[in-house]
Amino acid sequence: MNALAKVPGSVGVVAPGDMQFDDPLLLKSGAVIPSYSLRYETYGTLNADRSNAVLVCHALNASHHVAGTYAHDPKDVGWWDNLIGPGKPIDTDRFFVVGVNNLGGCHGSTGPATINPATGRPWGADFPVVTVDDWVAAQARLADRLGIRRFAAVVGGSLGAMQALQWTIAFPDRVRHALVIAAAPKLSAQNIAFNEVARQAITTDPDFHGGDYYAHGVVPRRGLRLARMLGHITYLSDDAMAEKFGRALRQGEFKFGFDVEFEIESYLRYQGDKFSTYFDANTYLRITKALDYFDPALACGGRLAEALKGAVARFLVVSFTSDWRFSPARSREIVKALLDTGKDVSYAEIDAPHGHDAFLMDDPRYHGLIRAFLADADTDRSAQP
Amino acid sequence: MSAPVLPNWRPDFEAIAHWVAPGARVLDLGCGDGTLLRFLKERRGATGYGVDISDDNVLACVKNGVNVIQSDLEAGLSGFESGSFDYVILSQTLQATMHTERLLKDILRVGREGIVSFPNFGYWRVRMQLLAGHMPVSPELPYQWYDTPNIHLFTLSDFENFCRGHGVRILERLVTTDGRPVSAVPNLLGALAFYRLDRAPGASPVAA
């Protein structure tokens, strides 16, 4: 790491790595990925007894680039940089932090845009549907290769929180602390409805070509734009939108036309345009399906408590009052299941105005809780002789 | 029992801790910074959770290494299964609750037993201040009338009448003044009261 480039509180300049896996991975759908590669980043140092590793799981559009910046692009700051770094709540002076781009992603891990070795062409529509369970299984293999038997903590917000929850179910003895932030134990019909509109926007874009748009040299940009605009509406609270944009007009008066007039329109178009230049449409489809399918209680007759029965992690569940995408009531469902089985769990409901996106904000109450919860997480007491 | 070295230890915790059997499952309502729970966990091997509404207390509990659920007691205990705790503790909070009757009912639904403590409004020093024409201010009732969280003040006799009328059985009672037990004329001479409660056999829980 370049010491000159390191600013206080930042992990500084980072570089991703790629881990190749040649053991086939059987997916929940029954499909098999014969081989794949995962792109990841690490910050801090794995200690001698390998007890200080923290896995950070990403949500819909994020990646393995969780903290720090890149030498070639100093403006590309990791998506959870306000939480992770030296002296920050997830302190890289104490913890060895791992960020990984999930299987099927579009930030360097094997995904629909990757060349399928069997055909020599991009996977495209043939790339299987992946689930949260599959991601966690792939992450566990990465942990094996990094020499991490047991994580001090698995951390995630939103879809990332679903992965943290799944870790405690699939690999209970490999997680000592689970931070489940702005989560839901499964999507509601309304959540699925939003996802379906986003998918329809993409799949009905004439440039989608049934998912094999790579061969046509095009990208279903219009669909991606709409999907992202829709998503953004659900990430913000009504109050946050009112506060940030209100009914403000770009040019101060009505133009009686259909160009951008209100600031909120400008914001959504900007977010949509930006997103459509870097995100893969096939990945977007798959990630929304992973959200829809996530339902760990399903295998236990809908009883989440039973699904979580084997978990041994200490849980911190955090929700945000203005989050209507995954409201506090959804987090309380998770808490209830953990209480019913007598798990170690703490729950905080942060009074924050930002909506779902609050989990990415630098709120001292929220970050203070994470810091306190992880205060002695870098030592594995159960591993002591 | 020797007083533990915890910064925010309160004398009334002593009496409550004394009633909690080793290894019990405990729910501490209005748990503050988690001092009592931490003591019960470390010294009695108890497990359980605190419940508190305040951000500062939730953080303090996490720092204290005890489980805490941020929740408003006034919204009820619907997040907790019936009979899921050995003890539900409500320490000097009952007098500050709005839905007092419902909360007591919930305590005995969720817990096998309830442990409740409160300042006795029948204590003679309280009566004297009222006689002198003022709302009482004391170590147990440290607030002025205009900034007090206490909205349902009551006496030992009031509470015991309530229990009789609501199918609540009093298993044990301890009354103290300045940390010392009081046996004679407790409704007059006692400043703080502690009760260990359960549902009276055959009684529908806290029938009105």
Side-chain angles (χ1 to χ4, degrees), chain A residues 291-314:
Chain A
L291 273 160
D292 292 0
Y293 288 139
F294 182 71
D295 183 5
L298 186 66
C300 300
R303 292 180 297 274
L304 186 62
E306 199 173 315
L308 284 161
K309 208 165 52 185
V312 293
R314 295 182 61 207

Side-chain angles (χ1 to χ4, degrees), chain A residues 38-118:
Chain A
L38 293 179
R39 185 158 292 178
Y40 68 100
E41 287 178 10
T42 69
Y43 326 111
T45 310
L46 190 61
N47 61 12
D49 62 359
R50 300 173 174 196
S51 62
N52 68 334
V54 173
L55 176 67
V56 180
C57 304
H58 69 75
L60 213 159
N61 68 309
S63 70
H64 55 281
H65 185 38
V66 181
T69 60
Y70 290 140
H72 68 273
D73 187 0
K75 284 185 178 163
D76 189 353
V77 179
W79 60 272
W80 223 348
D81 194 78
N82 63 21
L83 186 73
I84 295 154
K88 288 181 179 169
I90 298 180
D91 188 345
T92 49
D93 288 339
R94 293 172 52 220
F95 293 107
F96 176 67
V97 178
V98 181
V100 54
N101 184 214
N102 281 325
L103 188 63
C106 57
H107 290 96
S109 293
T110 297
T114 311
I115 300 296
N116 179 355

Side-chain angles (χ1 to χ4, degrees), chain B residues 79-94:
Chain B
F80 300 94
E81 282 294 309
S82 298
S84 53
F85 292 92
D86 295 314
Y87 305 97
V88 178
I89 298 169
L90 188 67
S91 157
Q92 297 200 49
T93 303
L94 193 61

Side-chain angles (χ1 to χ4, degrees), chain B residues 92-147:
Chain B
Q92 297 200 49
T93 303
L94 193 61
Q95 77 282 355
T97 61
M98 176 73 80
H99 303 105
T100 312
E101 191 176 358
R102 192 180 73 189
L103 184 59
L104 268 170
K105 179 178 171 175
D106 249 1
I107 285 172
L108 293 180
R109 176 185 64 82
V110 170
R112 209 167 42 77
E113 294 185 5
I115 297 177
V116 171
S117 73
F118 57 85
N120 174 27
F121 211 65
Y123 180 44
W124 69 272
R125 286 184 183 276
V126 169
R127 299 189 195 197
M128 290 300 285
Q129 291 187 54
L130 280 170
L131 270 180
H134 299 288
M135 277 301 280
V137 178
S138 68
E140 292 77 26
L141 295 166
Y143 303 97
Q144 297 293 335
W145 64 270
Y146 50 82
D147 66 3

Side-chain angles (χ1 to χ4, degrees), chain A residues 4 38 45 55 83 106 115 130 137 161 174 182 190 207 212 219 278 284 332 352 381:
Chain A
L4 288 174
L38 293 179
T45 310
L55 176 67
L83 186 73
C106 57
I115 300 296
V130 284
R174 299 191 70 172
Q190 188 192 51
D207 286 337
D212 291 320
V219 166
Y278 74 87
Y284 199 89
R332 286 197 294 265
R381 290 207 185 78

